Amino acid sequence: MTQTVQPRETAIATVHATLAEAFGDRIQTGAAIRAQHANTATGRGTQAPDMVVWPESTEEVSLILRTCWAQGVPVIPFGAGSSLEGQLNAPQGGVSLDMSRMAAVLETHPEDLLAVVQPGITRKRLNEELRATGLTFPIDPGADASVGGMCATRASGTNAVRYGTMADNVLALEVVLADGTVIRTGSRAAKSSAGYDLTRLMIGSEGTLGVITEATLRLRGIPETVLGGIAAFPDLDSAVSAVILLVQMGLDIGRVELLDAMQIRACNAYSKLDLEETVTLFFECTGTEVVAQDTAETFAEIARDAGATHIDWSTDPDTRNKLWAARHDSYWAALALRPGCKGLVSDACVPISALAENISAAQADLEAKGLIGTILGHVGDGNFHVVLMTDPEDAEEAARVEDFLHAITLRAQAAGGTCTGEHGIGQGKMGALAEEVGPALVAMRAVKAALDPKGILNPGKIFAMTDGAA
Amino acid sequence: MTQTVQPRETAIATVHATLAEAFGDRIQTGAAIRAQHANTATGRGTQAPDMVVWPESTEEVSLILRTCWAQGVPVIPFGAGSSLEGQLNAPQGGVSLDMSRMAAVLETHPEDLLAVVQPGITRKRLNEELRATGLTFPIDPGADASVGGMCATRASGTNAVRYGTMADNVLALEVVLADGTVIRTGSRAAKSSAGYDLTRLMIGSEGTLGVITEATLRLRGIPETVLGGIAAFPDLDSAVSAVILLVQMGLDIGRVELLDAMQIRACNAYSKLDLEETVTLFFECTGTEVVAQDTAETFAEIARDAGATHIDWSTDPDTRNKLWAARHDSYWAALALRPGCKGLVSDACVPISALAENISAAQADLEAKGLIGTILGHVGDGNFHVVLMTDPEDAEEAARVEDFLHAITLRAQAAGGTCTGEHGIGQGKMGALAEEVGPALVAMRAVKAALDPKGILNPGKIFAMTDGAA
């Protein structure tokens, strides 16, 4: 298994020649296709891979990894292309592993509230395929991300306040390790104390420890009653106070999302709503009719006490779905406020007691730095985003943007929080991670070196293997 | 840092001499104290460490680890001594690290529903200290275990059906690595995507990857209303059916525990109850008064449909507490049925659809093998225990017991479940783990070798570092 060091070009050519034989037209090297498989969702730069391969089975993924392992060529798993921190870029070139042809629901076990799926399936498609079972997979980042990508970034979204994140909703994985070894982690039992939690080690590892080829997901029953509504507030502080209170009361709310006035304006324009343009909480209460109604009334009481000027909810699915579709499109709605702009999104997550202060500081800093951005977030988790609309050609603005994002991270870390609640580190937050975890970076590097000693899996992401390296 | 290999005795003597200077009478070598620091809670054998040390700070833990690391001497962290799979034994001798003097609540953040505690605090003591905050740490294995031990075994217990396990309720850890390096994992934010999930890698690692010196715990509000009760059933099948149905309905029950007729008999005798001696579910419903009542009524309907002959609940705290105290003492109650016996406990956890079949098969096998045992469990998670009352002097019975336990594991694994829902692997389930995880054992070994290359942390537990080794 020892390999002589080869020039990069030779190694890439060897990998291409080997894979071309096995994959035919399921391996591509055209510039457009390669560019589409790098980071495209944000204003961060694009670093294309050398080739894109579409595997159709775990065995094919293993073959690709064995081939790349032998030649020391990077492999970057690709789901739906919706990651926000440059996770899909190929700074050292290599093979983009497009998982879109591994997108089947392999098994459903409605009686156990489980499904086994391939990583390329997107969350919307998954829930369509589950419809007949009366069950749903509740984790919903705004984007129609792939399950594999959601695992890789430890994604969450609007339902996390009730159901947790991907870390709480994936029971088991099939993973291909760097050298092509296929392992299975976890089981179909609801809990386990059987050895190291490799499932949760893989969840959030952003493709740097293995390629996920199968996931066993916890499903939930579609609640008997869903009440969805809005609460309008005069300012950020009063809206955030309401959220803090409901979290501290332990109220079992289904969802509670904050959108500032500018985000509401963006949603009104983009999603044809006619909401009052003020700070607004979107909320949802679920359960039996009695429970959902009782929860909504308790929430309304809290919101009114905090200063809500208008509270309204409905069980009508069309009304609710329109609201939540608008919430999910809010990133694109925000970008549409400034035609031609590119987006960059902050992702701080803080202890709930620090939320009001962190959001207010961000809002003040937006104004101070003369930047254009909306504020929204999964406030029940203490997680909020500022969506910045940036001009990619304006270097001076870009510097202000980086300062702004760095300040958000520093404030969150000082409050005992984290630079990223759900988007991951990718390339964008490597410095922030190093500051946040300190000596624990040594342990992360040791784990990486143990499972991927050649460093072929998504290199240049999360952390550098040595201090000072990029 | 390179060390020459020393005879074991010399290394132990060197460690003792170094630590004796720093720890004075906080290091002990008496036979009785050493024996108390090995496995004592079950019928499994006892392998005492060479010495016991009582550190009082993270710095002292780091000093002990640096000393042991230099000499290649094993270190076995010790919490409350309540583990059930031999986790505390010292098959290669070494230092037992008794954490009982690191048992403080360091910080409480009621507004963030968090507390930062030292690992030696037990769950009962923790909840006493939290009383003034109106908050509680809900994870409750039967025993009054230490928080560090609960982290190490990924413990859960009666509240897991609602609040999850230790993996879901620990946000951050301070850990001393094998070479004495102190790291911090996680943050005080409710969720995070900041790099590898070292918190959950440490949770469940049974002291083999690091020594936990601090834990940041998620707390919960004490519910406004708690309804506690019992539902009596004519047989196991009908009781399990009721549980399966409530799980499949997604009913937010607080607790639901199964006790078979013999376990009820044991509890009646040990805890002075007068329950009908038949299969019984202990349940609890929580929330606002309206929600708790609605949940209890829904549950009662399900239980009646499944065949319950008697259902009763109460909000009276004394009545509830007496029931749950009896549930928590059930291991000792079972052992008291056969004076002089020792306990061994199975811990299978299966997908809920396989629960009835797995429990019935265990019950039939108990009779077929002529063994004495009670059946109880956290059935909402698919986790059940058979508490076997064994005669430690009877080798022939011991063989039947091992056969019985192995058969439970095999059936659980065949059903897609696991050999251990909450007790961990320790020494008792190493073979079962190897069968359960297959090639994933290679990844676990790689992680172990990366973080503890000398293998000093709780050696001989969870898995052997090479095939065929013990």
Side-chain angles (χ1 to χ4, degrees):
Chain A
M1 286 293 283
T2 56
Q3 299 290 330
T4 54
V5 177
Q6 301 187 46
R8 197 186 93 83
E9 291 71 19
T10 315
I12 296 283
T14 307
V15 164
H16 185 263
T18 309
L19 296 182
E21 208 163 307
F23 288 87
D25 62 1
R26 289 191 285 124
I27 181 164
Q28 297 281 333
T29 55
I33 280 179
R34 290 192 293 111
Q36 284 161 14
H37 283 77
N39 177 64
T40 55
T42 78
R44 299 201 184 284
T46 292
Q47 298 163 311
D50 291 296
M51 69 197 92
V52 182
V53 192
W54 285 262
E56 293 180 347
S57 67
T58 300
E59 292 66 36
E60 287 192 350
V61 173
S62 176
L63 168 65
I64 295 165
L65 283 168
R66 286 198 308 275
T67 307
C68 290
W69 171 257
Q71 303 297 327
V73 164
V75 175
I76 303 106
F78 181 97
S82 54
S83 60
L84 293 171
E85 293 293 350
Q87 278 92 347
L88 301 171
N89 273 340
Q92 304 171 27
V95 178
S96 174
L97 210 59
D98 184 318
M99 305 303 281
S100 58
R101 295 198 188 192
M102 291 178 67
V105 175
L106 299 174
E107 300 170 28
T108 55
H109 299 274
E111 69 290 4
D112 292 318
L113 292 85
L114 296 180
V116 182
V117 307
Q118 288 185 308
I121 194 165
T122 65
R123 66 172 184 87
K124 286 184 187 169
R125 176 88 196 139
L126 169 60
N127 281 320
E128 278 161 27
E129 295 208 19
L130 291 174
R131 194 164 294 163
T133 65
L135 298 169
T136 176
F137 183 63
I139 311 303
D140 72 330
D144 189 20
S146 70
V147 167
M150 289 163 67
C151 288
T153 53
R154 205 180 294 127
S156 47
T158 65
N159 280 315
V161 67
R162 184 170 187 91
Y163 295 117
T165 74
M166 289 300 283
D168 307 301
N169 289 281
V170 178
L171 284 177
L173 294 171
E174 182 186 75
V175 178
V176 184
L177 299 179
D179 66 357
T181 305
V182 181
I183 66 169
R184 289 181 164 276
T185 73
S187 78
R188 287 197 276 123
K191 65 184 190 186
S192 166
S193 287
Y196 301 163
D197 194 343
L198 296 179
T199 307
R200 276 145 162 168
L201 181 62
M202 292 294 164
I203 300 288
S205 65
E206 301 188 19
T208 67
L209 296 180
V211 177
I212 294 165
T213 47
E214 207 180 286
T216 302
L217 307 177
R218 286 184 71 180
L219 308 178
R220 313 287 174 146
I222 296 172
E224 183 185 312
T225 303
V226 182
L227 300 175
I230 55 146
F233 291 83
D235 49 41
L236 272 172
D237 266 5
S238 53
V240 174
S241 306
V243 174
I244 292 174
L245 209 63
L246 89 86
V247 169
Q248 291 174 350
M249 273 189 60
L251 191 69
D252 270 336
I253 202 149
R255 291 165 153 174
V256 58
E257 294 284 312
L258 178 140
L259 298 86
D260 77 350
M262 196 188 294
Q263 183 65 54
I264 294 289
R265 176 145 64 96
C267 290
N268 278 343
Y270 190 88
S271 301
K272 314 279 178 278
L273 300 178
D274 55 358
L275 298 172
E276 186 190 347
E277 289 181 7
T278 186
V279 180
T280 305
L281 295 177
F282 286 16
F283 67 94
E284 206 168 80
C285 302
T286 60
T288 60
E289 199 181 326
V290 171
V291 168
Q293 193 69 35
D294 186 68
T295 307
E297 278 161 17
T298 308
F299 173 69
E301 208 171 302
I302 293 170
R304 252 180 249 115
D305 285 352
T309 53
H310 175 70
I311 304 169
D312 193 22
W313 69 78
S314 159
T315 52
D316 174 46
D318 289 342
T319 311
R320 277 192 290 115
N321 290 342
K322 204 170 168 195
L323 270 187
W324 291 103
R327 170 63 192 85
H328 284 132
D329 286 337
S330 52
Y331 180 59
W332 304 112
L335 298 194
L337 286 179
R338 189 182 182 187
C341 78
K342 288 279 192 179
L344 282 174
V345 193
S346 74
D347 186 33
C349 191
V350 298
I352 198 84
S353 66
L355 184 61
E357 193 187 319
N358 272 259
I359 290 184
S360 297
Q363 191 183 36
D365 204 24
L366 261 185
E367 282 180 37
K369 293 205 164 65
L371 296 171
I372 308 170
T374 65
I375 298 177
L376 73 166
H378 316 303
V379 280
D381 304 318
N383 184 204
F384 70 97
H385 307 300
V386 182
V387 180
L388 293 163
M389 293 138 247
T390 70
D391 175 357
E393 309 296 313
D394 184 340
E396 185 276 327
E397 186 189 82
R400 272 182 291 144
V401 163
E402 287 306 323
D403 279 358
F404 175 82
L405 292 173
H406 189 54
I408 284 193
T409 288
L410 290 181
R411 280 191 298 269
Q413 290 171 341
T418 176
C419 61
T420 172
E422 56 182 18
H423 296 167
I425 300 296
Q427 297 176 313
K429 292 208 165 75
M430 291 170 63
L433 179 75
E435 282 168 29
E436 188 167 314
V437 305
L441 206 59
V442 175
M444 291 190 196
R445 283 177 179 150
V447 170
K448 168 71 175 175
L451 293 180
D452 180 19
K454 294 186 182 181
I456 67 164
L457 289 170
N458 210 4
K461 311 298 164 65
I462 308 186
F463 49 76
M465 284 305 282
T466 51
D467 287 324
Chain B
M1 286 294 283
T2 56
Q3 299 291 330
T4 53
V5 177
Q6 300 187 48
R8 197 186 93 84
E9 291 71 19
T10 314
I12 296 283
T14 306
V15 165
H16 185 264
T18 308
L19 296 182
E21 209 163 305
F23 288 87
D25 62 1
R26 289 191 286 123
I27 180 163
Q28 297 280 333
T29 54
I33 281 179
R34 290 192 291 111
Q36 282 161 17
H37 283 77
N39 175 65
T40 56
T42 78
R44 298 202 184 284
T46 294
Q47 297 163 311
D50 291 297
M51 68 197 92
V52 182
V53 192
W54 284 261
E56 292 180 348
S57 69
T58 301
E59 293 66 37
E60 287 192 349
V61 173
S62 177
L63 169 65
I64 295 165
L65 283 169
R66 287 197 306 277
T67 306
C68 289
W69 171 257
Q71 302 298 327
V73 164
V75 176
I76 302 106
F78 181 96
S82 54
S83 60
L84 293 172
E85 292 293 350
Q87 278 94 345
L88 300 171
N89 273 339
Q92 304 171 28
V95 177
S96 174
L97 209 59
D98 185 318
M99 305 303 280
S100 59
R101 296 198 187 191
M102 292 178 66
V105 175
L106 299 175
E107 299 171 29
T108 55
H109 300 273
E111 69 289 6
D112 292 318
L113 292 84
L114 295 179
V116 182
V117 307
Q118 289 186 307
I121 195 166
T122 65
R123 65 172 184 87
K124 286 184 187 169
R125 176 90 194 139
L126 170 60
N127 281 321
E128 277 160 29
E129 295 207 18
L130 290 173
R131 194 165 293 162
T133 65
L135 298 169
T136 176
F137 183 64
I139 310 303
D140 72 330
D144 189 21
S146 71
V147 167
M150 290 162 67
C151 288
T153 53
R154 204 180 294 127
S156 48
T158 66
N159 280 314
V161 67
R162 182 170 189 92
Y163 295 118
T165 74
M166 289 300 282
D168 308 302
N169 289 282
V170 178
L171 283 176
L173 294 171
E174 181 186 76
V175 177
V176 184
L177 299 179
D179 66 357
T181 304
V182 181
I183 67 169
R184 290 182 163 276
T185 73
S187 78
R188 286 196 278 121
K191 66 186 189 185
S192 166
S193 286
Y196 300 163
D197 194 343
L198 297 179
T199 307
R200 274 143 162 170
L201 182 61
M202 291 294 165
I203 301 288
S205 66
E206 303 188 17
T208 67
L209 296 180
V211 177
I212 294 166
T213 47
E214 207 180 285
T216 302
L217 307 177
R218 288 185 69 181
L219 308 178
R220 313 289 173 143
I222 295 172
E224 184 186 310
T225 304
V226 181
L227 299 175
I230 55 147
F233 291 82
D235 50 41
L236 273 171
D237 266 4
S238 54
V240 174
S241 306
V243 174
I244 292 173
L245 209 64
L246 88 87
V247 169
Q248 291 174 350
M249 274 190 60
L251 190 70
D252 269 335
I253 202 150
R255 290 166 154 174
V256 58
E257 294 285 310
L258 178 140
L259 299 86
D260 76 351
M262 196 189 294
Q263 183 65 55
I264 293 290
R265 176 145 64 96
C267 291
N268 278 344
Y270 190 87
S271 302
K272 315 277 178 279
L273 301 179
D274 55 357
L275 298 172
E276 187 191 347
E277 289 181 8
T278 186
V279 180
T280 304
L281 294 177
F282 285 17
F283 67 95
E284 205 168 81
C285 301
T286 60
T288 62
E289 198 181 327
V290 170
V291 168
Q293 193 69 37
D294 187 68
T295 307
E297 277 160 18
T298 308
F299 174 69
E301 209 172 301
I302 293 169
R304 253 179 249 116
D305 285 352
T309 52
H310 174 70
I311 304 169
D312 192 23
W313 68 80
S314 158
T315 52
D316 173 46
D318 289 342
T319 312
R320 277 193 290 113
N321 289 342
K322 205 171 166 194
L323 269 187
W324 290 103
R327 170 62 190 86
H328 284 133
D329 286 337
S330 52
Y331 180 58
W332 305 113
L335 298 194
L337 286 180
R338 188 182 181 186
C341 78
K342 288 280 191 178
L344 282 174
V345 193
S346 74
D347 186 33
C349 191
V350 298
I352 198 83
S353 66
L355 184 61
E357 191 187 320
N358 272 258
I359 290 185
S360 297
Q363 191 184 35
D365 205 23
L366 261 184
E367 282 178 38
K369 292 203 166 64
L371 296 170
I372 308 171
T374 65
I375 298 177
L376 72 168
H378 317 301
V379 281
D381 304 318
N383 185 204
F384 70 97
H385 307 299
V386 182
V387 180
L388 293 164
M389 293 138 247
T390 69
D391 174 356
E393 309 295 314
D394 184 342
E396 185 278 328
E397 186 189 81
R400 272 181 291 145
V401 163
E402 287 308 322
D403 278 357
F404 174 82
L405 292 173
H406 189 55
I408 283 193
T409 289
L410 290 180
R411 280 191 298 267
Q413 291 171 341
T418 175
C419 60
T420 172
E422 56 182 16
H423 296 168
I425 299 296
Q427 298 176 312
K429 292 207 165 74
M430 291 170 62
L433 179 76
E435 282 167 30
E436 188 166 314
V437 304
L441 205 60
V442 174
M444 292 190 196
R445 283 178 179 150
V447 170
K448 167 72 176 175
L451 294 180
D452 180 19
K454 294 186 182 180
I456 66 165
L457 289 170
N458 209 4
K461 312 296 164 65
I462 306 186
F463 48 77
M465 284 304 283
T466 51
D467 287 323

